[in-house]
């Protein structure tokens, strides 16, 4: 039948996703894009596809609904499920470089760009190392999946969605600030008032703001080593004087800063 994606052309790959729904969604998207299916191309019925792939009909129905929400599919009266007009098209022709073209020299055009910084690289199998000290990576054995799932469910529910989508402009979420002050910080021995807490995009964003606001040429700067590559580079850009305290304790750092700055 014309304008139809056959159920036999859809294959599941174990490497696509850990769940059957994820594998089926990836297989359907792949079939749509690789076949250059035009809008209106029909997909197999949920019963036919479930029988072909050995899945439950409920699994197929849920995946169809998910892809409808993502804009890949659409439902049509008396026609079942079809490829939507909003589905992205992979095989678009893109103008490539000709033999005489040269890549653009961004270093020539960008003015005042910072010098190249140290790039953090990690092996793909870093989890197999005995001591995988990689920052920003959660330990799946310690991560509270149930709490995370509950937070996601409540945040995306209709009851709390208005609060989630509220634009507070120049202020942070008061409930988040209250939790940080009453729960997160006290566990680390830190006590702060709500007006002393600033929520940033991450640790590097916080370091950038601190350096830009506090670093001056007449102030010594102390950074961790090893640490974020941005910190020493930003301090050097602000002409702050590092007191060379890499292997010193906090008491030694305070003495050195008193000597250099007159604290």
């Amino acid at each position: 039948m014309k304008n139809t994606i056959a159920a036999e052309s859809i294959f599941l790959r174990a490497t696509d996703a850990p769940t059957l729904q994820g594998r089926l969604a990836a297989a359907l998207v792949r079939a749509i894009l690789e076949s250059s299916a035009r809008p209106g191309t029909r997909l197999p019925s949920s019963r036919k596809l479930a029988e072909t792939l050995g899945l439950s009909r409920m699994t197929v129905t849920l995946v169809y609904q998910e892809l409808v929400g993502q804009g890949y599919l659409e439902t049509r009266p008396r026609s079942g499920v079809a490829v939507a007009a909003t589905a992205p098209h992979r095989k678009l022709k893109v103008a490539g470089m000709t033999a005489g073209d040269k890549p653009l020299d961004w270093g020539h055009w960008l003015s005042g760009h910072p010098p190249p910084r140290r790039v953090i690289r990690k092996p793909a199998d870093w989890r197999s190392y005995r001591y995988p000290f990689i920052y920003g990576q959660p330990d799946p054995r310690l991560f509270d999946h149930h709490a995370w799932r509950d937070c996601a469910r409540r945040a995306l529910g209709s009851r709390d969605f208005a609060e989630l989508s509220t634009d507070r402009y120049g202020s942070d979420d008061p409930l988040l600030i209250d939790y940080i002050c009453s729960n997160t910080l006290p566990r680390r021995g830190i006590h702060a008032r709500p007006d002393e807490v600033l929520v940033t995009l991450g640790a590097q964003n916080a370091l950038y703001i601190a350096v830009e606001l506090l670093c001056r040429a007449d102030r010594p700067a102390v950074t961790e080593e090893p640490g974020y590559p941005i910190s020493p580079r930003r301090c050097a850009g602000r002409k702050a004087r590092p007191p060379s305290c890499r292997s010193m304790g906090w008491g030694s750092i305070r003495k050195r800063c008193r000597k250099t700055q007159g604290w």
Side-chain angles (χ1 to χ4, degrees), residues 209-223 234-236 238-244 256-258 260-263:
I209 294 175
V211 170
E212 290 296 312
L213 294 178
L214 302 178
C215 267
R216 297 191 324 210
D218 60 338
R219 291 176 177 171
V222 180
T223 61
R234 293 300 306 177
C235 289
R238 303 290 292 183
K239 295 181 173 57
R241 294 183 291 111
S244 302
R256 179 69 64 87
C257 289
R258 287 195 184 102
T260 58
Q261 185 65 17
W263 284 7

Side-chain angles (χ1 to χ4, degrees), residues 11-262:
F11 301 94
L12 302 183
R13 296 178 182 175
T15 56
D16 283 338
T19 64
L20 288 176
Q21 289 188 26
R23 296 172 191 174
L24 179 57
L28 290 172
V29 171
R30 184 166 54 248
I32 293 171
L33 299 181
E34 291 183 352
S35 64
S36 299
R38 303 180 66 85
T41 301
R42 294 180 58 184
L43 271 77
S45 66
S46 58
R47 186 185 301 277
K48 173 64 175 178
L49 188 57
E51 293 176 352
T52 302
L53 299 179
L55 303 175
S56 69
R57 190 178 179 184
M58 178 60 68
T59 299
V60 177
T61 302
L62 291 175
V63 172
Y64 275 171
Q65 292 176 354
E66 178 184 351
L67 294 182
V68 168
Q70 295 180 5
Y72 285 97
L73 304 177
E74 63 183 7
T75 57
R76 295 188 173 186
R78 298 185 298 276
S79 298
V81 181
V83 176
T86 55
H89 203 291
R90 177 181 295 176
K91 297 185 178 181
L92 294 176
K93 293 184 178 180
V94 179
M97 296 179 61
T98 61
D101 291 340
K102 294 182 179 180
L104 183 62
D105 183 9
W106 286 106
H108 172 73
W109 288 99
L110 295 178
S111 60
H113 59 283
R117 64 177 179 177
R118 177 168 62 92
V119 178
I120 298 179
R121 304 183 187 278
K122 60 183 179 182
D125 61 340
W126 64 270
R127 289 189 183 274
S128 64
Y129 282 56
R130 184 177 182 181
Y131 301 108
F133 295 135
I134 303 294
Y135 78 93
Q137 301 290 342
D139 189 337
R141 298 168 300 178
L142 304 177
F143 190 80
D144 193 342
H145 294 275
H146 297 289
W148 181 264
R149 188 182 300 110
D150 183 61
C151 289
R153 178 186 59 81
R154 294 173 59 184
L156 298 177
S158 58
R159 186 183 64 179
D160 297 330
F161 185 77
E163 185 72 17
L164 172 69
S165 59
T166 299
D167 184 4
R168 302 186 182 279
Y169 190 60
S171 61
D172 293 316
D173 187 342
L175 294 179
L176 176 60
I177 295 296
D178 179 72
Y179 185 87
I180 291 174
C181 293
S182 61
N183 191 292
T184 306
L185 294 181
R187 289 184 177 183
R188 292 162 173 78
I190 303 173
H191 298 276
R193 300 188 306 270
D195 60 340
E196 296 176 325
V197 177
L198 175 65
V199 179
T200 65
L201 298 177
Q204 297 194 58
N205 182 224
L207 290 171
Y208 174 85
I209 294 175
V211 170
E212 290 296 312
L213 294 178
L214 302 178
C215 267
R216 297 191 324 210
D218 60 338
R219 291 176 177 171
V222 180
T223 61
E224 291 181 317
E225 184 63 33
Y228 289 104
I230 189 175
S231 302
R233 185 170 59 88
R234 293 300 306 177
C235 289
R238 303 290 292 183
K239 295 181 173 57
R241 294 183 291 111
S244 302
C245 301
R246 289 187 177 183
S247 302
M248 302 170 64
W250 176 238
S252 300
I253 292 176
R254 293 183 63 185
K255 291 180 181 178
R256 179 69 64 87
C257 289
R258 287 195 184 102
K259 182 182 299 183
T260 58
Q261 185 65 17

